[in-house]
Amino acid sequence: MKKIINKLLVNHSLIYKLFLYVATIVLVVYLFPKGGQFKYEFQKGKPWEYENYYAPFDFAIQKTEDEIALEKQQVTESSKQFYEYDENVVLQVRKSIDEKIENALLNSELIEEEKVKLRELVNKVVTDIYEFGYIETQNNIKNNNQLITLKMGNKSQDIEADKLFKSSQILSFINSKIGVQPFTQEENIVLNIIYEELKPNVKFDTIFTERVLQENLSKISYTKGLVAENERIIFKGDIVEGDKLIILNSIKSEFESQVWSKSNYNWIVFGYTILVALAFLMLLLFLRKYRLDIFENNTKVTFIFFNIILIVLLITLIVKYDAKYIYVAPIVILPLVLKAFFDARLGLFTHVLTVLLLGFIVPNSFEFIFLQIIAGIVTILTISELYKRANLFISVIQITFVYFVSYFAFSIIQEGNAQNLDWEKFIYFSINGGATLFVLPLIYVFERLFGLVSDESLKELSNTNSKLLRELAEKAPGTFQHSLQVANLAEASANEINANSMLVRTGALYHDIGKMINPMYYTENQSTNVNPHNELTPKDSAQIIINHIIEGVELAKKHRLPDRIIDFIRTHHGTTLVYYFYKKEEELSGGRADVSNFQYPGPIPFSKETAILMMCDSVEAASKSIKEPSAQAFDNLVEKIVNKQMEEGQFMNADITFKELQTIKKVLKKKLKNIYHLRIEYPE
């Protein structure tokens, strides 16, 4: 049992990767659509490249979206409108009019017979107006000849819309019925009473009309005809267009709409699992062979897998909602993020694998894969320094333009002309470009979640006005100037061998922050002739010098500097000796100095960037000791220091080639000559 536990502890990193690998495969396969797949790819206007195709089963021919939209429009236009007749309003109006007319006629000089005729006239006018009703607004009526359905209690009847009285018709109708103008005083009173008391009693029944419309729309058939089993659909070489295209789209939809049955579910899941497993295995093998430092870091591997799952999940949700919006998703954020934290090659490799996986989810997979891979390549090629916002903005414009051009080319190939372009797609691509700008805050979130460092953060850290660097400049001004010189040398060297120049510059600025603890024990900070080392033994002096590594690491952690920067503090002296005090101890002890008391704790550099810093730090510090600067002196100094570090095996773990070392030597020699070049002596 103890052996098993020990093996688990020793191989815990590999076990975690295996668990992550399996969990990712399960999750991605789970997100894949639970429907069948049509195994043939075809495009409108292109020849059918496969053998003669016959219907594998009976299926219905589906109508096109344009046909369905036209039918819906026709049903909407022909669907009846329902209006409700309110009898209670009529009764209230009659009662009110009768009461007011009786009061008005009490003091009238008209004889009783004339009063009766006037009452009958009023009653007839009200009856005529409310025969079919008085409607307040006719916003829903498109024309007067339109048939509408009037609901009167439990009965309903179809009438023409112009039989309903409108507010604009009321006054003229009453005038025409009262009598011959000029009206008598009584007739004017009656006219005013009728006009004031009449109220609309017909209103549009929105709910019932909408319900009937939806019932009619639900009766629309989405199919037109049937294709029988074994019926020929298309010959090899036939152009995919017209009815052939409609039938092929119909059977493709039929396949995709079929939910996996129990009999084939396990087999299809097994097939998906193999393909997804292969894709992620290729990614792990790539990391193992070409990015070993990332492969051995579980946090970084988790981060890469997390981003892939995030993209797959995003596209899955969009496809489930409406597949036409898939180009809104800013997939190029994936290579952008990976390039920001790692490198361009890994970003592009991961992007291509992810897009291939998305081909199982999206419609028109070939078009989607082509567009996204091209966009990913453009992303990697155009964005060189993500922390420069102008670069990001210009690159987003270029990426969007590539989307436009690629989609335009696909459309004219499929349609045969440029008249049937789907202009909405261009809007989606524009939204995609805008969403891609969200990569900067997203990088910040990832930095906090996974403890990684991007170029954007390095830019902030390399600002010499930051709190820690200002403190270094105040407490140890000589060390600060030394760090600036080393940063310049390291940045120039990194640029020449295509290393991460921003990372090595930032690391160089912070590599000696431990000297702030005891600044006067370092010669660059000694402004007087008093040297505190004169009062110490060589062993004690060496220990103080060595301690600036440990103290620097502690100070960096206290100020929450990223691990990638702390690595430069740990490794910039590797396992070299504090040579001056070691030799001094040898002289005093007669050659019996203990090497372990004068050796830096390490580790040795493990990347190009940390190796560059070791060389630049040693060369810059040693160059101050040259009494008579000359080109030959600098050449000899650089060769001596770098060769000695190579002989001691300080670069054994750094992924740096002999050719790159020679290039760095040339850069250092050139830069030192520029720094210490002789000036013309001006006359006094």
Side-chain angles (χ1 to χ4, degrees), residues 300-360:
K300 293 179 179 179
V301 176
T302 304
F303 174 71
I304 295 169
F305 278 53
F306 173 79
N307 276 275
I308 296 174
I309 293 172
L310 209 60
I311 295 295
V312 174
L313 177 62
L314 175 63
I315 296 298
T316 302
L317 293 175
I318 291 175
V319 170
K320 285 184 177 179
Y321 176 72
D322 193 338
K324 72 178 183 179
Y325 295 118
I326 55 172
Y327 289 113
V328 173
I331 294 177
V332 293
I333 279 183
L334 177 62
L336 271 178
V337 168
L338 295 182
K339 183 179 180 181
F341 288 110
F342 306 117
D343 61 85
R345 188 177 176 189
L346 175 59
L348 182 59
F349 187 86
T350 307
H351 176 71
V352 171
L353 284 180
T354 305
V355 170
L356 291 175
L357 289 176
L358 294 177
F360 292 111

Side-chain angles (χ1 to χ4, degrees), residues 8 20 143 204 216 273 286 368 451 486 520 577 584 605 637-638 664:
L8 291 175
L20 180 66
N143 59 74
F204 181 61
N216 292 335
T273 303
F286 176 86
F368 177 85
V486 173
M520 296 310 296
L577 295 176
K584 196 172 181 182
L637 177 71
V638 171
I664 293 169

Side-chain angles (χ1 to χ4, degrees), residues 511-516 522 543-553 569 572-573 600 617:
H511 79 282
D512 270 344
I513 57 172
K515 292 182 178 180
M516 282 194 293
Y522 304 93
Q543 197 58 48
I544 291 173
I545 301 297
I546 290 170
N547 281 346
H548 90 273
I549 300 292
I550 300 166
E551 290 164 348
V553 170
I569 301 174
H572 73 275
H573 284 298
Y600 284 100
D617 179 47

Side-chain angles (χ1 to χ4, degrees), residues 373-520:
I373 289 179
I374 291 295
I377 293 172
V378 172
T379 302
I380 293 297
L381 293 177
T382 56
I383 299 183
S384 55
E385 295 172 311
L386 190 59
Y387 60 88
K388 294 182 179 179
R389 288 172 293 179
N391 283 2
L392 177 61
F393 186 75
I394 293 170
S395 295
V396 165
I397 293 175
Q398 293 173 330
I399 293 164
T400 307
F401 178 72
V402 168
Y403 272 129
F404 285 173
V405 173
S406 301
Y407 173 70
F408 175 78
F410 263 102
S411 294
I412 60 176
I413 289 172
Q414 294 171 357
E415 301 293 339
N417 57 65
Q419 298 175 356
N420 297 323
L421 287 174
D422 184 359
W423 294 103
E424 279 190 11
K425 289 281 179 65
F426 292 97
I427 298 174
Y428 300 155
F429 292 136
S430 301
I431 296 172
N432 185 318
T436 304
L437 296 173
F438 185 70
V439 68
L440 291 179
L442 190 64
I443 286 173
Y444 177 80
V445 172
F446 284 153
E447 285 177 335
R448 294 297 174 267
L449 285 176
F450 293 91
L452 301 173
V453 184
S454 68
D455 286 349
E456 183 69 21
S457 294
L458 293 175
K459 178 189 174 186
E460 294 176 6
L461 290 170
S462 64
N463 186 349
T464 53
N465 285 321
S466 65
K467 182 180 178 182
L468 193 56
L469 291 180
R470 282 205 315 270
E471 189 178 350
L472 177 64
E474 291 170 3
K475 293 183 177 180
T479 299
F480 178 71
Q481 292 301 321
H482 161 71
S483 298
L484 286 176
Q485 292 281 20
V486 173
N488 292 333
L489 292 173
E491 184 178 20
S493 301
N495 284 328
E496 285 298 318
I497 65 169
N498 295 320
N500 190 332
S501 59
M502 179 59 71
L503 175 62
V504 74
R505 177 177 181 81
T506 309
L509 289 172
Y510 289 92
H511 79 282
D512 270 344
I513 57 172
K515 292 182 178 180
M516 282 194 293
I517 307 301
N518 293 301
M520 296 310 296

Side-chain angles (χ1 to χ4, degrees), residues 125-142:
V125 170
V126 174
T127 301
D128 288 346
I129 290 174
Y130 286 114
E131 179 182 3
F132 295 106
Y134 169 20
I135 186 170
E136 184 175 14
T137 177
Q138 53 178 351
N139 291 340
N140 297 295
I141 298 174
K142 297 174 182 176

